[in-house]
Amino acid sequence: MKKILSLFAVLFFALPVFALEVIYPRTTMPAISSAATFFIGNTKSPLKINGNDVIVHPSGGFAYFTQLDSGRNVFTLESGSD
């Protein structure tokens, strides 16, 4: 058991963590009738939304505002180093 815990500790602390949490909008959001929307969340890495750099606070928080097109809008979030 001690060996398993030691192995877990080594893997946990040795591997880089690339976490991205989007708090808003949720993935189950209904359609919205607005000309713009925003993203709020946390990340431990640089972030891009649709290829645009997002300013990430040193604590990891971010807020990103964007205009919407009429109809369906698709967003690509990229978290991690280039």
Side-chain angles (χ1 to χ4, degrees):
M1 182 67 165
K2 192 173 186 180
K3 289 181 182 180
I4 292 173
L5 290 176
S6 296
L7 178 62
F8 175 75
V10 168
L11 290 175
F12 180 76
F13 291 109
L15 296 176
V17 177
F18 300 108
L20 172 63
E21 176 186 24
V22 177
I23 297 168
Y24 182 89
R26 298 183 308 268
T27 56
T28 58
M29 291 285 296
I32 61 172
S33 56
S34 176
T37 192
F38 57 93
F39 291 81
I40 297 175
N42 300 296
T43 185
K44 296 183 181 195
S45 302
L47 176 64
K48 290 185 177 196
I49 298 180
N50 284 359
N52 298 308
D53 291 325
V54 176
I55 297 172
V56 178
H57 187 272
S59 68
F62 67 86
Y64 178 78
F65 298 88
T66 186
Q67 296 296 313
L68 295 174
D69 296 325
S70 181
R72 182 181 168 114
N73 288 263
V74 177
F75 296 95
T76 303
L77 284 72
E78 301 173 60
S79 180
S81 58
D82 293 331

